């Protein structure tokens, strides 16, 4: 059920929409699990000791934490973290670290094979006919490789910009790609802190995509909450077309 916490959404002000990707347009963890399984299978044939390391969830987490701890300036870059995690596993296994790059490409290719939520593609078609859409993500999904790039005016990622959500700079950069001011943007995403609070801090209107009926636990509230992207489209049916 959609509800409208204060402040109310002003659809007349919306001139562009920014969209989160992971867990907004598709579920991320099944995608990552398949990519990690594909990576492990590839490594088994070429670096079996490292394959065992990256296949173990606890060890994989420890490797990632080591990468972030030793290279904190790259904490925003998911691709860097994954590549270096693989390189570290190869190094600790006394196996060929030159395999890190092709191994990462195997992981990344599978990571792009997402399964969209049933409401995602119809929503993208509806929204893209009305507003410039800009993808805003902390992850390393590429809308073109995923197969939905034609619906987007632009995309901005933490990897490209050097900062991620909730930093206001990534939201302002996204607004800039659409040629509008931040207060003319509606940001849509599933993460209460990264998406909603981040976009509010950047001066945007926000819609929280709450597919799991979670409770809101923060002082500042989204302008609107929806349980699906179908509800988002219903909410914006009366908005002026900005294409």
């Amino acid at each position: 059920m959609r509800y409208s916490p204060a402040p109310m959404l002003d659809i007349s002000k919306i001139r562009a929409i920014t969209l989160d990707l992971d867990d907004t347009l598709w579920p991320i963890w099944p995608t990552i699990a398949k990519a990690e399984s594909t990576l492990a299978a590839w490594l088994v044939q070429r670096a079996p000791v490292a394959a065992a390391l990256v296949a173990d969830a606890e060890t994989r987490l420890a490797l990632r934490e080591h990468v972030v701890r030793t290279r904190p300036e790259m904490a925003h870059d998911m691709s860097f973290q994954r590549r270096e995690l693989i390189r570290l596993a190869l190094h600790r296994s006394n196996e060929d670290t030159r395999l890190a790059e092709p191994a990462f490409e195997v992981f990344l290719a599978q990571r792009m094979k997402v399964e969209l939520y049933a409401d995602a593609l119809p929503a993208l078609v509806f929204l893209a006919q009305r507003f410039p859409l800009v993808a805003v993500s902390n992850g390393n999904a590429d809308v073109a490789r995923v197969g939905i790039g034609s619906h987007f005016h632009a995309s901005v990622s933490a990897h490209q910009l050097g900062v991620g959500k909730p930093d206001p700079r990534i939201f302002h950069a996204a607004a800039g790609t659409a040629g509008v001011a931040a207060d003319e943007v509606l940001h849509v995403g599933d993460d209460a802190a990264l998406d909603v609070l981040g976009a509010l801090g950047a001066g945007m209107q926000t819609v929280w995509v709450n597919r799991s009926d979670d409770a809101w636990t923060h002082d500042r509230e989204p302008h609107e909450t929806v349980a699906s992207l179908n509800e988002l489209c219903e909410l914006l049916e009366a908005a002026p077309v900005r294409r």
Side-chain angles (χ1 to χ4, degrees):
M1 182 70 67
R2 188 172 72 234
Y3 63 90
S4 302
M8 296 291 289
L9 181 67
D10 183 354
I11 63 174
S12 68
K13 293 179 63 177
I14 302 170
R15 301 188 66 85
I17 292 178
T18 53
L19 272 171
D20 173 57
L21 299 177
D22 294 332
D23 285 331
T24 296
L25 298 184
W26 57 75
I28 183 55
W29 291 115
T31 303
I32 295 298
K34 289 180 182 178
E36 288 175 341
S37 177
T38 300
L39 169 64
W42 188 90
L43 283 172
V44 161
Q45 303 300 318
R46 298 159 179 84
V49 180
L53 293 181
V54 300
D56 180 78
E58 186 174 339
T59 302
R60 190 170 59 246
L61 177 61
L63 291 169
R64 180 181 292 277
E65 289 176 345
H66 176 86
V67 171
V68 173
R69 185 171 61 253
T70 56
R71 294 295 302 275
E73 77 280 9
M74 300 300 290
H76 64 278
D77 192 329
M78 297 296 104
S79 290
F80 175 86
Q81 289 182 33
R82 180 70 61 171
R83 187 184 296 106
E84 292 309 303
L85 180 159
I86 297 168
R87 196 185 313 279
L88 181 60
L90 290 163
H91 173 73
R92 290 186 176 179
S93 303
N94 292 317
E95 292 171 321
D96 189 356
T97 58
R98 292 174 297 180
L99 291 171
E101 192 64 40
F104 171 72
E105 291 303 324
V106 167
F107 171 88
L108 191 62
Q110 184 63 45
R111 189 259 188 271
M112 298 300 171
K113 297 178 182 179
V114 303
E115 185 172 342
L116 295 169
Y117 289 119
D119 58 7
L121 190 55
L124 288 174
V125 172
F126 174 90
L127 296 171
Q129 290 173 344
R130 290 159 174 78
F131 305 96
L133 300 184
V134 180
V136 182
S137 179
N138 282 5
N140 51 12
D142 181 317
V143 292
R145 292 182 67 175
V146 166
I148 55 175
S150 62
H151 303 292
F152 285 89
H153 171 78
S155 63
V156 179
S157 70
H159 166 71
Q160 297 166 331
L161 196 64
V163 294
K165 298 176 294 185
D167 192 302
R169 288 174 289 178
I170 194 169
F171 294 101
H172 291 159
T177 66
V180 300
D183 64 359
E184 297 175 311
V185 174
L186 173 65
H187 181 70
V188 178
D190 73 289
D191 192 290
L194 300 181
D195 288 305
V196 177
L197 297 185
L200 288 173
M204 295 178 172
Q205 296 194 86
T206 61
V207 169
W208 182 35
V209 181
N210 181 15
R211 295 181 183 274
S212 303
D213 195 27
D214 295 327
W216 184 260
T217 59
H218 302 276
D219 292 336
R220 299 189 71 184
E221 296 181 322
H223 292 77
E224 270 283 1
T225 297
V226 297
S228 71
L229 296 179
N230 293 331
E231 290 187 8
L232 174 67
C233 294
E234 292 172 6
L235 185 69
L236 298 176
E237 279 183 335
V241 174
R242 301 296 191 180
R243 295 295 301 182

